[in-house]
Amino acid sequence: MTTSRFLSGALIDRLRRREPETLTHLIHEHAGTLFRAARGMGFSQDEAEDLAQEVFTTFLETLDRFEGRSQVRTWLFGILHNKIHERRREQLRDERSEPLDELIESRFDTDGHWNRPPADLDRLLQSKEIESAIQDCLGKLPAMQKEVFVLREVEELDMAETCKILDKTVTHISVLLHRARVRLRECLEAKGWRKES
Amino acid sequence: MIRCKEVAELMASDQLSQQRWVRRVEVRFHLWRCRNCSRFRKQIVQIGETARKVFRESSRVKDHGVGESLEARLLTSLLGETSDVAKRPQFSPSAMSWMTPFGVKGWALSFAAILMLVLGIPSTLWYLGLRADRTKLMAALNLGVQDHLQCAIKGHNYPEIANPPDRLREQLGPQYAGLLPVVEKKLSGFQVLEAHICSVPGSPRKYVHFIARGQGTIVSVILTKQDGESLPAGRFLVARSSGGVDLYKAKFQDTDVAGFETNGYFGFVVSNLGQDQMVQLAASLAPGVRNALGESIRSEKAAAPAVLIGFVSFGSSLRSQKDKREYL
C-alpha cells in the first residue's frame, strides 16, 4: 500500500471509510512534513500540531473533490496553505508590485556591479547561534516569502509543485523566492557577523 | 556582458535553469571569474542547507510532538471523529419530505419509513457498531506499536549484551519485577535484553517494556494500564489463550501486534515477525502475565500500610521510582 504520491480509487474509498490502517499510513507519510512546514512558517509546536490535524480532517472531508491524478502531498500542502491564511486572517499583498527594496538596490552600482559585496557568513553558518539566527530572520519575512522559502528550501519541493500549492505562476514564485533569500542573507549579515569576516 | 546584479537575481530566484544555454554558459563564466557573485551563490545555497538542517533537527529533537507520538495523536483524533460519527443519529424522517411533491401518498411514506426503521436501523447500528469497535481495537493496539517504535526501534533503548536480571528487576521496581521470569520463560528462542518503565513523549502514559532479541529482529512485550479504554469484547477476537485470555491482532505498516487485556492492563507483543507469530507469543505469555500481575496487585494491597510506614521511616524505599526511563 502506498499513499506517497497518487491515490487510486480503491485507496480513496478506504480513506473515505476511514480505515485505520490506511489512515495510519497516510499520517505516517505526511504528518511530520506538514508539522515541520508549519513550524518553519512561524507557528508554535501546539499550533503546528493543530494545523496538521486540521489539514488531515479537511483532506478527509474533501476527498470527493480530490482528483487521483494530483499528488497527495500537493493536495495536503494546498490545504495547509489555506489553513495558515485562515488563521492569520491577513490579506497577503501582491509582492510583485512592491517597490524594489532599497536595501537590495544599494548593493549594486548603476552599472550593476557589486557596490557593497556580500560579506563572508561562514562563521555564522557554522556557529551554534545559527539556529536562532535563522529562525529569527525567517520570522521577519513577509508571510508569502516565508512560505515559498520553506516549501522550496526546507521541504525541497520543485517549482511546479510549489506553484500548484500556492496557486501562483512560476514568475511570481521566482520573485518571492529571490526576495526571501536576499532578505534572509541581509538579515544574517546584519546580525553583526560581517565584522568578523 | 552579464552584470553581477543579473547573476545574483538568477541565482536567488532559481531561474538559471530556465535560461537559454548561451545565457547559462555566460553565467557560469561570470561566476568563475567574479569572487563576489561566487560567494553570493555559495551563501544562498548554504542558507538553504542550514535552514533545512535547523528545521529538520529541531523537529526531531526539540519538538517532542514530532514523530510517532504526533502520528498517534493524529490517528486517535481522526479515528475519534469516526466514533463520533457513529454516535450521531443517522436517520431523520423529515429528510424524506422531498418525496411529497412527487405525489407519494402519506400512508405509503409512513409505511416505507416504518419498514426502513424495522429493517434499516438494526443493520445500520450493527454496521456502525462494527466500525466503532474496529476503531477502538486499532486505537488500543496502536498504543503498543507506538511504544515499540519509539523506544525500541527509534530510540534503540537496549544494550547489545543483555542487562543482568538483577538490574532489570531493579529497573522494573518491585511492582513489575515478578513479570521478568514470565517473559524470559515464555519468549522461547528470544533473549531479554532490557526491561524498564518508559513513556512516549507527549503522553503521561507509562509502559512496562521488555525488549528481546531473536530470529534476527527485536520483539517488545509491553504492558500499560487501561485508562478507560478497552478492547472490543468478542468482536475481532482471533484466539483465546489457554488461560481464557482473549487475543487480538493487527498490522500497522511493517509492524505486527497482538494484544490482550488482563487485570486492568493492556498487554502487547510487537515485532515484524508476522501477526500469527505475535498471537502465538501473546497466547503463551497471557496466562503468566495475568498471574504475575494478579500477584503484584494482591501484594501491593496487602503491603499498602507497610509502604506508608516505610516511606515515613525510610524515604529511600521509593528510590526505584526514580529509575523510570524517559527517552525524550
Side-chain angles (χ1 to χ4, degrees), chain B residues 174 307 309-323:
Chain B
V307 169
I309 293 163
F311 174 69
V312 174
S313 310
F314 313 102
S316 59
S317 66
L318 294 181
R319 194 177 301 138
S320 61
Q321 295 293 319
K322 292 177 184 171
D323 293 336

Side-chain angles (χ1 to χ4, degrees), chain A residues 16-21 23-25 27-29 31-32 35-36 39-41 45 49 52-53 56-57 60-61 100 105 108 110-114 117-122 125-126 130-131 134-135 138 149 152-156 159 170 174-175 177-179 181-182 184-185 188-189, chain B residues 2-6 8-15 18 30 34 36-37 39-40 42-52 54-56 58-59 62-75 77-79 81-82 85 127 131 134-135 138 142 146 250-253:
Chain A
R16 208 169 277 145
R17 290 197 302 270
R18 299 201 180 188
E19 277 193 5
E21 293 93 333
L23 271 179
T24 304
H25 195 77
I27 289 169
H28 179 71
E29 295 234 341
F35 176 85
R36 189 174 57 222
R39 291 284 281 135
M41 290 168 199
Q45 185 176 326
E49 193 168 320
Q53 187 177 325
F56 282 108
T57 306
L60 294 175
E61 285 168 357
L100 199 62
E105 279 293 289
F108 302 95
T110 48
D111 293 331
H113 297 302
W114 289 100
D120 186 0
L121 297 177
D122 282 358
L125 293 170
Q126 286 158 15
I130 185 61
E131 184 175 331
I134 286 263
Q135 280 173 340
L138 197 55
F149 182 83
R152 291 284 289 132
E153 290 285 34
V154 179
E155 298 307 328
E156 298 181 283
M159 189 63 95
V170 173
S174 299
V175 170
L177 186 61
H178 171 240
R179 289 188 169 278
R181 281 170 166 165
V182 170
L184 267 179
R185 217 207 66 79
L188 292 172
E189 193 175 288
Chain B
I2 195 162
R3 298 176 305 166
C4 294
K5 192 178 171 188
E6 291 168 294
E9 265 181 31
L10 285 171
M11 292 294 113
S13 62
D14 278 357
Q15 284 295 293
Q18 311 295 318
H30 181 95
C34 176
N36 290 332
C37 284
R39 173 181 279 181
F40 180 82
K42 186 182 158 198
Q43 287 176 356
I44 293 296
V45 173
Q46 275 182 320
I47 289 169
E49 282 172 354
T50 312
R52 203 151 46 240
V54 163
F55 281 100
R56 290 192 175 175
S58 69
S59 296
K62 284 174 66 181
D63 297 330
H64 297 158
V66 185
E68 282 80 1
S69 62
L70 168 65
E71 290 171 19
R73 283 198 293 274
L74 284 174
L75 183 65
S77 155
L78 292 176
L79 290 176
E81 282 170 18
T82 311
V85 168
Y127 174 68
R131 273 182 53 179
R134 177 84 179 143
T135 300
M138 296 306 283
N142 193 39
Q146 293 306 322
K251 185 176 184 70
F252 291 79
Q253 294 179 262

